[in-house]
Amino acid sequence: MADTASEESSSLFFIFVLTILALPLVPFTITKLCRAANKKTKIMHCECSVCTKSGKYHRSIIRRISNFSTWSNLVLILLWVNMGFLVYYIKHTNQENQPFEPFGILGLVPGVSDSEIKKAYRRLSIQYHPDKNPDPEAHKYFIEFISKAYQALTDPISRENFEKWGHPDGRQGLQMGIALPQFLLKFDGASGGLLLLGIVGVCILLPLIIAVVYLSKSSKYTGNLVMHQTLSTYYYFMKPSLAPSKVMEVFIKAAEYMEIPVRRSDADSLQKMFVAVRGELNLDVKNIRTEQTKFWKQHPSLVKTELLIQSQLTHQSSSLSPSLQSDFKRVLELAPRLLEELLKISLIPRSPQGHGWLRPAIGVVELSQCIFQGVPLSARKPSGGFPTGIAPFLQLPYFNETVVKKILRKKVKFQDLLDMSVIERTNLLTQIAELSREEANDVELVLDIFPSITVEITCETEGEEGIQEGDIVTMYVWVTLKRKNKLISALPHSPYYPLHKEENFWLLLADPVSNDVWISQKVSFMDEVAAITSASTVIHETKEALGGTPKEIKTAVKEAVEKVKNGSRLVMGKFQTPAEGNYNLCSYCLCDAWIGCDTKTNLKLKVLKRSRAGTRGYVTEDGPAADEEKEDEEEYDDYESEYSEDSDEDEED
């Protein structure tokens, strides 16, 4: 009886383990599968031959296996294999430990007569009796099951107990078991104590130690996996007048980059890289020796990180040593989230009015664009009447300075290239730029996914007709993205960036004169479902607050959903109006991956003096500030780069 109880406890242990394993594993697996199913399967990447040759999007069997063979996936598979083994073992054990069922053994149903029981016994005896069947297994089954079942049912008392209580011996007492394997119940004395300590150590102390180590390491990072020390450093060095050419100096000070090891064996390779990118390091040519000495006296990690980033901007990474290649990939892997945090630091409200800084924010976006497109920062310097320089051209495949000069001789701007018909553009590229038909086709493929952004802005005060000083103004912005290939979500053309990169947009409402950013928000065109939910909620709450009828609310929500499906995103923000006066604001929609698609929309805001009563005046105008100022005001397709300080000198050249 004790052996039976211990066997039952042993089987209960595996059921207990299976339950504990299934509770977190099943929901985690479902969540992981849902995330995999909801990945951007419809997102298209660039199909030009340059991106194809980079191998970034090549999904070979080896790459698929390597992408699948992550530690989390392997552990997940191992746990499911263990669960399958436990299910099989428990099922097999339960079959061996079936309860004694006399009626079932004889093939009868409860309540049959004695004659039926005898007939069934004779029939099974002919089949399993040792005299009729020499098989040892048949003999064993006859003795242990058939004979015992017949005896249990032919004895009146045993049969009555079984039919009433489910057991030939009558009502059974409650049996308690412990869900532990049988081998653990055989220890006693000192050995049992040691075993108990081992179980406590493995099951309690070890997970506790792992949790403490994990928490101690994770406490160094924010939710965006950026170290707190990095944020402190960025906050300290961020200045309102930080020029784009100086953003690099702040960016490379990240604690993550400082942790990358500096090896003496890398000195020669870094020295060669310094010579190759020296023209991009903002060194004073008049005092070149002093500047070089000053550069190399910096912290070795700063020198190494800046040279690695410059190798990305100038396409010199192929000349790096194998050890530096791994550091180079690590630097680029960390770049997206570090740049995003650096941008957020520049937009943190610091002024007395609670505004961020425009100039460093633009500089961070410019640096981000150049890193992902592999374009030197010097290419952004305005020249020949082009505010963004030749940088937009250099992001196109097969475009270099020689090709760009040929196109510029025809006075063709980048926007002109976008607005041309396919035939005109092909003729320009093949006849003037001297590209082949295949190369011109690759350029066409890139321009097909190049985004075009339009911005519609409205400002309102709840329940009021105008804007007075101190009012809370709600800004509604519809940001619409269009591509020639009609797609909304697409990965940018970035053959020189070795990792996948999604394009993100930042909407800034700023005052260029005071360098203040009033509102900033990140805009993504990747997740359409989230955008529909957000836009529907905003429109519904706004119309409801204004007293709209259910039919009007439903119609407005339906229109908003249709807009989102057609490539628009709704951005809402609130700000408090400053003192009385006219404010020439600008909304900037900046992309962190493409060069030349940023848009700038002028917005004039007239704030009236606070009055206790009276009708409020309200003026907001998109485009030029006012009719009388149209003649003197220049239209901007893109924001003005901070490199414009040297524009006059370049035009003279």
Side-chain angles (χ1 to χ4, degrees):
M1 193 72 177
D3 294 338
T4 304
S6 63
E7 290 178 1
E8 292 177 356
S9 298
S10 180
S11 62
L12 288 176
F13 170 75
F14 292 104
I15 296 176
F16 173 75
V17 172
L18 178 63
T19 305
I20 296 299
L21 187 62
L23 284 176
L25 185 60
V26 172
F28 176 77
T29 304
I30 295 175
T31 304
K32 196 173 182 67
L33 292 175
C34 291
R35 288 178 179 176
N38 291 333
K39 278 187 176 180
K40 297 86 180 179
T41 54
K42 296 183 180 180
I43 294 178
M44 177 183 177
H45 60 77
C46 181
E47 296 181 347
C48 73
S49 60
V50 180
C51 287
T52 303
K53 291 178 181 178
S54 68
K56 183 165 56 174
Y57 304 115
H58 181 57
R59 304 186 66 183
S60 62
I61 297 177
I62 297 177
R63 181 180 288 271
R64 291 180 181 180
I65 294 175
S66 62
N67 291 337
F68 178 78
S69 302
T70 60
W71 281 108
S72 60
N73 290 338
L74 293 178
V75 171
L76 192 65
I77 293 175
L78 182 61
L79 291 176
W80 274 104
V81 170
N82 289 336
M83 277 192 61
F85 173 76
L86 287 174
V87 170
Y88 173 79
Y89 180 81
I90 292 170
K91 183 179 180 181
H92 182 70
T93 304
N94 289 340
Q95 288 178 349
E96 293 180 349
N97 298 327
Q98 290 293 334
F100 185 68
E101 293 284 352
F103 289 106
I105 293 173
L106 297 179
L108 302 173
V109 295
V112 298
S113 61
D114 292 341
S115 60
E116 292 292 333
I117 295 173
K118 292 179 180 179
K119 288 180 181 179
Y121 176 71
R122 293 193 193 99
R123 184 180 70 255
L124 293 175
S125 297
I126 296 173
Q127 185 176 357
Y128 292 100
H129 196 276
D131 295 339
K132 305 293 184 180
N133 190 341
D135 187 3
E137 291 295 330
H139 183 200
K140 180 179 179 181
Y141 182 75
F142 180 81
I143 298 298
E144 295 182 358
F145 291 92
I146 298 176
S147 297
K148 289 184 178 181
Y150 178 72
Q151 292 176 2
L153 296 180
T154 52
D155 182 53
I157 298 177
S158 298
R159 180 174 179 179
E160 182 181 358
N161 288 335
F162 181 79
E163 292 180 349
K164 187 175 182 180
W165 304 107
H167 198 279
D169 296 333
R171 184 175 182 178
Q172 301 295 301
L174 180 64
Q175 293 184 356
M176 301 292 292
I178 182 171
L180 289 176
Q182 187 175 358
F183 69 89
L184 291 179
L185 303 176
K186 296 181 179 180
F187 289 91
D188 55 2
S191 59
L194 292 175
L195 183 62
L196 180 61
L197 289 176
I199 294 175
V200 171
V202 173
C203 299
I204 299 178
L205 295 182
L206 183 60
L208 184 61
I209 293 173
I210 295 175
V212 170
V213 173
Y214 172 77
L215 291 175
S216 64
K217 289 185 176 181
S218 61
S219 62
K220 299 180 181 179
Y221 294 87
T222 64
N224 200 20
L225 300 179
V226 176
M227 297 178 68
H228 291 288
Q229 184 180 350
T230 298
L231 299 185
S232 301
T233 303
Y234 284 171
Y235 187 87
Y236 177 79
F237 286 99
M238 182 61 64
K239 305 298 179 184
S241 59
L242 189 68
S245 58
K246 301 296 182 182
V247 171
M248 175 78 79
E249 299 178 6
V250 180
F251 173 64
I252 62 177
K253 288 181 170 64
E256 288 85 348
Y257 290 154
M258 301 296 287
E259 290 184 348
I260 297 178
V262 178
R263 296 172 289 269
R264 291 185 178 181
S265 58
D266 297 333
D268 293 338
S269 183
L270 291 176
Q271 185 67 40
K272 293 179 181 178
M273 184 57 62
F274 172 79
V275 175
V277 303
R278 182 166 47 190
E280 298 291 331
L281 297 176
N282 294 320
L283 302 180
D284 187 1
V285 180
K286 297 179 181 179
N287 303 312
I288 189 63
R289 292 186 178 180
T290 305
E291 290 290 312
Q292 290 181 5
T293 303
K294 183 179 177 181
F295 177 81
W296 287 104
K297 283 185 177 181
Q298 297 181 99
H299 192 284
S301 295
L302 297 179
V303 173
K304 179 177 182 177
T305 303
E306 183 167 5
L307 291 177
L308 291 178
I309 294 176
Q310 290 294 348
S311 69
Q312 163 69 5
L313 301 180
T314 57
H315 307 169
Q316 300 287 337
S317 59
S318 58
S319 61
L320 296 172
S321 62
S323 58
L324 283 177
Q325 286 287 350
S326 61
D327 296 337
F328 171 74
K329 292 181 180 179
R330 178 60 177 166
V331 169
L332 295 184
E333 180 184 0
L334 294 171
R337 55 177 178 263
L338 292 178
L339 286 167
E340 181 174 341
E341 292 302 319
L342 183 59
L343 179 59
K344 291 179 181 178
I345 292 294
S346 67
L347 298 174
I348 289 179
R350 301 203 199 188
S351 65
Q353 295 79 22
H355 298 156
W357 297 327
L358 176 63
R359 191 179 190 193
I362 291 178
V364 174
V365 174
E366 288 183 350
L367 177 61
S368 175
Q369 294 172 350
C370 289
I371 288 178
F372 296 130
Q373 290 297 338
V375 174
L377 286 171
S378 61
R380 303 192 71 102
K381 181 178 289 189
S383 61
F386 302 102
T388 56
I390 63 173
F393 290 100
L394 293 181
Q395 68 186 333
L396 300 178
Y398 312 109
F399 270 62
N400 50 36
E401 292 186 7
T402 303
V403 174
V404 174
K405 287 180 180 179
K406 294 178 181 179
I407 293 179
L408 294 183
R409 291 194 190 106
K410 295 295 181 179
K411 305 297 182 181
V412 177
K413 298 181 180 180
F414 185 72
Q415 188 60 44
D416 297 334
L417 185 68
L418 294 175
D419 295 337
M420 288 181 179
S421 65
V422 176
I423 298 177
E424 292 176 336
R425 191 163 44 242
T426 302
N427 292 335
L428 175 69
L429 296 177
T430 55
Q431 298 176 10
I432 305 301
E434 299 180 357
L435 299 181
S436 64
R437 287 283 178 178
E438 292 75 13
E439 293 172 342
N441 184 58
D442 282 341
V443 175
E444 199 65 38
L445 291 174
V446 174
L447 295 180
D448 281 345
I449 63 172
F450 189 84
S452 174
I453 300 295
T454 56
V455 177
E456 301 175 11
I457 307 175
T458 56
C459 293
E460 300 176 356
T461 53
E462 186 174 346
E464 302 290 346
E465 296 181 356
I467 298 179
Q468 293 185 0
E469 54 186 4
D471 281 349
I472 301 299
V473 178
T474 303
M475 180 187 73
Y476 298 93
V477 182
W478 280 103
V479 182
T480 304
L481 181 147
K482 298 291 184 182
R483 305 182 201 269
K484 293 182 179 180
N485 60 6
K486 308 302 181 182
L487 288 177
I488 298 176
S489 301
L491 297 177
H493 165 80
S494 55
Y496 300 105
Y497 187 74
L499 305 171
H500 288 248
K501 172 68 177 73
E502 295 181 355
E503 56 185 17
N504 295 305
F505 296 83
W506 287 85
L507 183 70
L508 310 179
L509 179 65
D511 185 351
V513 178
S514 63
N515 194 37
D516 290 337
V517 177
W518 293 21
I519 295 178
S520 62
Q521 189 166 332
K522 184 179 179 181
V523 184
S524 177
F525 290 86
M526 294 298 177
D527 194 345
E528 184 180 280
V529 176
I532 290 176
T533 303
S534 177
S536 302
T537 303
V538 170
I539 296 298
H540 186 276
E541 292 178 352
T542 302
K543 294 297 182 181
E544 193 174 37
L546 295 176
T549 63
K551 185 177 181 180
E552 293 174 343
I553 295 174
K554 184 178 179 180
T555 302
V557 170
K558 186 178 180 180
E559 293 176 354
V561 171
E562 194 64 28
K563 272 190 171 184
V564 173
K565 291 182 178 180
N566 291 331
S568 297
R569 297 293 183 266
L570 178 61
V571 178
M572 186 190 74
K574 295 185 178 183
F575 62 90
Q576 187 175 17
T577 56
E580 176 189 8
N582 294 327
Y583 295 88
N584 294 320
L585 305 180
C586 294
S587 71
Y588 298 85
C589 188
L590 312 177
C591 180
D592 66 352
W594 292 96
I595 305 175
C597 71
D598 303 327
T599 59
K600 175 184 176 182
T601 305
N602 296 327
L603 176 70
K604 183 175 180 181
L605 185 68
K606 184 176 182 180
V607 180
L608 302 179
K609 186 177 181 180
R610 169 64 66 185
S611 61
R612 294 184 179 179
T615 305
R616 296 182 176 182
Y618 169 63
V619 180
T620 59
E621 299 178 4
D622 293 341
D627 294 338
E628 62 270 20
E629 297 177 353
K630 286 184 179 179
E631 296 180 359
D632 300 328
E633 193 173 55
E634 180 182 358
E635 293 184 358
Y636 292 96
D637 293 329
D638 299 298
Y639 63 85
E640 184 177 357
S641 172
E642 298 294 343
Y643 285 103
S644 59
E645 299 171 356
D646 304 326
S647 59
D648 296 337
E649 298 177 6
D650 294 330
E651 290 178 3
E652 292 177 1
D653 296 339

